[in-house]
């Protein structure tokens, strides 16, 4: 629906419901039938709540999308639940913790009841028996969910399943829709530049090496005198804060510390310790901690603090008091959230403390953690990391075991001297509900460890994990097939946030979902098809802020990969919002889909090439890009340079732009630079491009469909 020149009036649109024009049985909100038998659950008639289509969920181990049979809702259904490990996992949003009724819409044409295991947040919750049903019907179970993002899954755990189980959709009573774009997160982000202050609001800047250029929104608040503050009013209750800040570095580059004072409604709550240890790097790539080399950047870091319970309407203030000794405090954003109580150890887990690990004492717990893993694997158990901080000095190898903690605000595994992290060596790895924290302060790709890395084989899951101060956040290696990573928070890495890296073998069927990535030192999200292909993988519903070098998302070769429903903002240097590139490794061997993303203040100057890079950058550098690049429903807002850039020297044969809205660009709306090939464009609109709508000085062929304006 669009307001065109011939239209008139004042029309207010609230929502749109799309469903098939067929029988009621194909409704997108099916009415549950009496429940199938379950173990540990109760039946019921269902209730209002969000519906989740199975074909948009994560699935691996055998299920496939089908559209031949009638009566399903949405765009299809999943079939092929036959092999052990076949699974579907649905991310759902619960407004509060508690019991929820789940209605699974399925059919079972095998002629007999079939078992499936039900998992909630990666833990087996029930054994479900799905009665035979030749047509679509519903089975209900009751599950216990936490507030926010949860995972509800069904999996084949025994070999007795016959072909015939089909899964169409899931309805969760009392749930809410997930965010339409970007991650569904448990916190409210308050930007200092939009808050009340008597300090100095830094002028917006995108100039590399300027403090404001690395802030979210390209502006922040600086406090330099006693009594200066920045304050905001809570719109939701909160008991914990994450503060993104910058204080000056020490003269030797090793880092300086200073407190800042927190007030609530005028009363002092506590002092929060800040440090410059993990920020401020210098010199040329890959950068050092030597201030004399100049070119300082990587100014910001984050600190987390629990603060006690405060209701909505509370005025929280960060203030420089007389005892707050840093010469300046630059506050970028404050994330405020209500953190739940620590989780308890699930049944069937062994605690690392039983193997000798001791929390918060600063001793090396590596051997104790490894011993707990060995015990757990031999007994078919999981590994529990209780509340506290546990130090490790080398990577922890994992295969066929689950490692869980009491929550990412409670259980921390901390690496030392650039070492430490979790390293997957095979299938069936789960890591959930903890923080992996490093102590990396400069880039050393050879000697330092990643937060979570390795070959995850099949059937692995990462859920509700924070990764900070490591070389790279998540590095997914060769042999991985079917990893689901959900609700990660990755911050302040010295290199990439997430990298799917097919160097020694293929990486396929990996999905990163509902995750927040901020302040990475290289690509925030990357897929590297180096000697082998990354295929059929996706970055979906993620929020990326302020990657300091390179792109918010970089897709380098591969086949069948997708970038969808993401919010990407504030790239700094040598950067695009989304880059589809043949610069590294093997050429593209299949289509790449970029759909329903928003790019805000992205693109950046590449000083080594003296080149400006676009918000969307299709880069045919080392080889032609002959497979389709399908770009649809893309919003490009306030690009630093070009909104769309195509380059460099090779052919881009099949670019498809559909419903691309460009609002503001520092140079061209669409810039076709030193490139040959062809594209089709429909409903591509350009407004506010400083240099003009289109620059096409060569022979690049554009086939114009309907709805194009401004270029």
């Amino acid at each position: 629906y669009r307001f065109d020149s011939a239209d008139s009036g004042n029309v207010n649109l609230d929502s749109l419901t799309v469903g098939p024009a067929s029988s009621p049985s194909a409704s997108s909100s099916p009415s549950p039938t009496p429940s199938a038998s379950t173990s540990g659950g109760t039946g019921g008639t269902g209730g209002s709540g969000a519906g989740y289509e199975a074909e948009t969920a994560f699935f691996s181990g055998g299920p496939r999308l089908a559209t031949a049979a009638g009566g399903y809702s949405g765009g299809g259904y999943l079939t092929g639940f036959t092999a052990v490990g076949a699974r579907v996992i649905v991310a759902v949003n619960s407004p509060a913790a508690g019991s929820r009724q789940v209605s699974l819409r399925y059919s079972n044409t095998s002629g007999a009841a079939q078992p499936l295991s039900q998992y909630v947040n990666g833990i087996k919750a029930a054994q479900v028996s799905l009665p035979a049903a030749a047509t679509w019907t519903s089975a209900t179970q009751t599950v216990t969910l936490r507030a926010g993002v949860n995972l509800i899954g069904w999996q084949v755990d025994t070999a007795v399943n016959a072909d015939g189980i089909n899964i169409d959709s899931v309805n969760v009573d009392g749930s809410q829709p997930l965010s339409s774009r970007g991650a569904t997160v448990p916190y409210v982000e308050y930007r200092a530049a939009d808050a009340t202050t008597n300090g100095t609001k830094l002028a917006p800047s995108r100039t590399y090496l300027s403090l404001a250029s690395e802030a979210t929104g390209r502006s922040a608040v600086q406090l330099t005198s006693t009594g200066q503050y920045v304050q905001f009013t809570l719109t939701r209750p909160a008991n914990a804060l994450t503060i993104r800040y910058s204080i000056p570095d020490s003269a030797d580059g090793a880092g300086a510390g200073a407190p800042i004072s927190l007030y609530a409604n005028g009363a002092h709550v506590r002092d929060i310790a800040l440090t410059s240890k993990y920020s401020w790097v210098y010199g040329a790539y890959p950068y050092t901690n030597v201030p004399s080399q100049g070119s300082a950047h990587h100014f910001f870091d984050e600190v987390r603090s629990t603060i006690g319970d405060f209701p909505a309407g509370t005025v929280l203030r960060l203030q420089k008091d007389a005892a707050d000794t840093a010469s300046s405090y630059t506050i970028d954003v404050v994330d405020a959230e209500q953190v739940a109580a620590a989780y308890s150890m699930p049944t069937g887990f062994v605690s690392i403390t039983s193997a000798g690990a001791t929390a918060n004492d600063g001793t090396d717990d590596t051997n104790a953690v490894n011993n707990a893993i060995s015990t757990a694997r031999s007994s078919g158990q999981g590994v529990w990391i209780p509340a506290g901080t546990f130090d490790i000095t080398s990577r922890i190898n994992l295969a066929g075991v689950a490692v869980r903690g009491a929550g990412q605000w409670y259980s921390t595994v901390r690496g030392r001297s650039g070492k430490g992290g979790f390293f997957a060596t095979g299938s069936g790895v789960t890591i959930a509900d903890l923080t992996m924290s490093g102590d990396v302060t400069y880039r050393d790709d050879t000697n330092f460890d990643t937060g979570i890395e390795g070959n995850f084989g099949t059937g692995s899951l990462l859920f509700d994990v924070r990764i900070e101060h490591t070389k790279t956040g998540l590095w997914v290696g060769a042999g991985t097939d079917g990893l689901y990573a959900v609700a990660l928070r990755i911050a302040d890495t010295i290199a990439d946030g997430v990298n799917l890296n097919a160097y020694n073998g293929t990486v396929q069927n990996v999905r990163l979902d509902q995750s927040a990535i901020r302040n990475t030192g290289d690509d925030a999200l990357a897929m590297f098809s180096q000697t082998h292909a990354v295929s059929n993988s996706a970055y979906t519903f993620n929020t990326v802020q302020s990657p300091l070098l390179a792109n918010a998302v970089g897709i380098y070769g591969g086949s069948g990969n997708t970038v969808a429903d993401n919010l990407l903002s504030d790239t700094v240097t040598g950067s695009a919002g989304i880059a589809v590139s043949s610069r590294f490794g093997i050429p593209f061997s299949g289509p790449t889909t970029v759909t329903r993303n928003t790019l805000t203040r992205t693109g950046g100057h590449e000083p080594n090439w003296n080149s400006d890079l676009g918000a969307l950058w299709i880069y045919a550098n080392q080889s032609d890009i002959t497979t389709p690049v399908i770009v649809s429903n893309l919003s490009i807002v306030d690009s630093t340079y070009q909104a769309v850039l195509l380059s460099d020297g090779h052919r881009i044969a099949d670019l498809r732009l559909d419903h691309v809205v460009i609002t503001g660009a520092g140079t061209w709306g669409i810039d076709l630079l030193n490139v040959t090939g062809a594209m089709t464009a429909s409903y591509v609109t350009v407004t506010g491009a400083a240099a003009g709508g289109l620059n096409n000085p060569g022979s690049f062929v554009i086939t114009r469909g309907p709805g194009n304006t401004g270029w």
Side-chain angles (χ1 to χ4, degrees), residues 44-414:
T45 58
S48 62
Y52 306 88
E53 293 295 333
E55 70 271 14
T56 63
F58 176 80
F59 51 94
S60 68
R64 61 191 183 277
L65 178 63
T67 58
Y72 53 83
S73 62
Y77 63 96
L78 295 179
T79 190
F81 290 87
T82 56
V84 172
R87 61 177 178 165
V88 58
I89 304 175
V90 180
V92 307
N93 183 19
S94 178
S99 296
R100 302 280 177 188
Q101 188 178 90
V102 176
S103 177
L104 175 68
R105 191 167 191 257
Y106 79 98
S107 67
N108 173 11
T109 60
S110 69
Q114 297 295 337
L116 283 178
S117 297
Q118 184 186 65
Y119 286 78
V120 177
N121 296 326
I123 298 175
K124 187 173 180 178
Q127 188 72 25
V128 179
S129 179
L130 299 181
T135 59
W136 295 110
T137 187
S138 293
T140 61
Q141 303 97 41
T142 297
V143 299
T144 300
L145 301 182
R146 58 184 67 171
V149 173
N150 291 259
L151 303 180
I152 305 176
W154 289 264
Q155 179 169 310
V156 178
D157 281 340
T158 63
V160 300
N161 283 71
D163 195 8
I165 293 178
N166 307 301
I167 294 178
D168 178 33
S169 63
V170 178
N171 191 86
V172 181
D173 183 39
S175 66
Q176 297 177 339
L178 297 155
S179 297
S180 58
R181 290 191 186 184
T184 299
V185 295
Y187 53 83
V188 177
E189 181 180 279
Y190 301 89
R191 291 187 61 240
D194 299 328
T196 301
T197 184
N198 63 355
T200 301
K201 181 178 176 180
L202 299 181
S205 174
R206 302 189 199 187
T207 302
Y208 183 48
L209 306 182
S210 69
L211 189 59
S213 73
E214 295 185 14
T216 59
R218 311 301 180 123
S219 181
V221 168
Q222 194 167 76
L223 314 176
T224 56
S225 301
T226 299
Q228 287 190 335
Y229 64 84
V230 59
Q231 69 181 31
F232 52 91
T233 302
L234 292 178
T235 59
R236 295 202 315 234
N239 61 8
L241 303 179
T242 301
I243 304 169
R244 187 170 192 253
Y245 69 93
S246 178
I247 62 173
D249 201 10
S250 62
D252 62 0
I260 192 168
S261 300
L262 174 69
Y263 290 79
N265 295 330
H268 184 265
V269 176
R270 59 171 300 178
D271 293 335
I272 298 174
L274 309 182
T275 180
S276 67
K277 177 180 179 179
Y278 301 106
S279 49
W280 294 86
V281 296
Y282 305 90
Y285 176 88
Y287 317 121
T288 70
N289 275 333
V290 182
S292 62
Q293 295 183 358
S295 298
H297 64 286
H298 202 294
F299 302 112
F300 288 92
D301 190 22
E302 296 183 7
V303 63
R304 297 188 297 166
S305 178
T306 54
I307 60 172
D309 292 303
F310 292 98
T314 302
V315 177
L316 293 182
R317 171 183 290 188
L318 293 172
Q319 180 170 296
K320 177 174 165 56
D321 286 347
D324 300 335
T325 54
S327 59
S328 67
Y329 295 83
T330 303
I331 308 300
D332 179 21
V333 296
V334 175
D335 299 333
E337 63 185 289
Q338 188 71 32
V339 177
Y343 305 129
S344 300
M345 183 172 72
T347 301
F349 277 68
V350 56
S351 175
I352 61 173
T353 57
S354 67
T358 305
N360 308 319
D361 67 347
T363 61
D364 185 2
D365 296 306
T366 307
N367 288 337
V369 175
N370 284 327
N371 289 339
I373 290 170
S374 178
T375 299
R377 288 195 63 187
S378 64
S379 59
Q381 295 178 293
V383 175
W384 177 249
I385 299 179
T389 298
F390 300 89
D391 293 273
I392 59 174
T393 55
S394 63
R395 297 188 307 196
I396 302 297
N397 292 340
L398 298 174
V401 68
V403 176
R404 304 188 70 99
Q408 60 173 257
W409 280 85
Y410 298 101
S411 299
T412 298
V413 177
R414 183 172 62 190

Side-chain angles (χ1 to χ4, degrees), residues 503-551:
Y503 180 65
N504 293 317
T506 59
V507 172
Q508 57 189 338
N509 303 315
V510 175
R511 180 170 168 181
L512 176 77
D513 197 16
Q514 302 295 341
S515 295
I517 299 94
R518 186 160 62 195
N519 203 47
T520 60
D522 213 317
D523 286 311
L525 304 175
M527 297 184 191
F528 267 78
S529 297
Q530 292 193 278
T531 59
H532 295 76
V534 176
S535 62
N536 300 320
S537 294
Y539 292 135
T540 59
F541 294 101
N542 303 298
T543 298
V544 171
Q545 297 173 301
S546 302
L548 304 183
L549 172 67
N551 313 297

Side-chain angles (χ1 to χ4, degrees), residues 1-2 10 12 34 40 99 147 161 164 198 233 309 353 371 445 456 484 496 505 511 514 517 575 604 629 667 676 704:
Y1 299 87
R2 188 174 72 176
N10 180 18
N12 303 298
S99 296
N161 283 71
N198 63 355
T233 302
D309 292 303
T353 57
N371 289 339
D445 288 349
F456 293 85
Y484 193 27
D496 296 350
R511 180 170 168 181
Q514 302 295 341
I517 299 94
S575 54
V629 178
T667 58
T676 60
R704 293 175 178 264

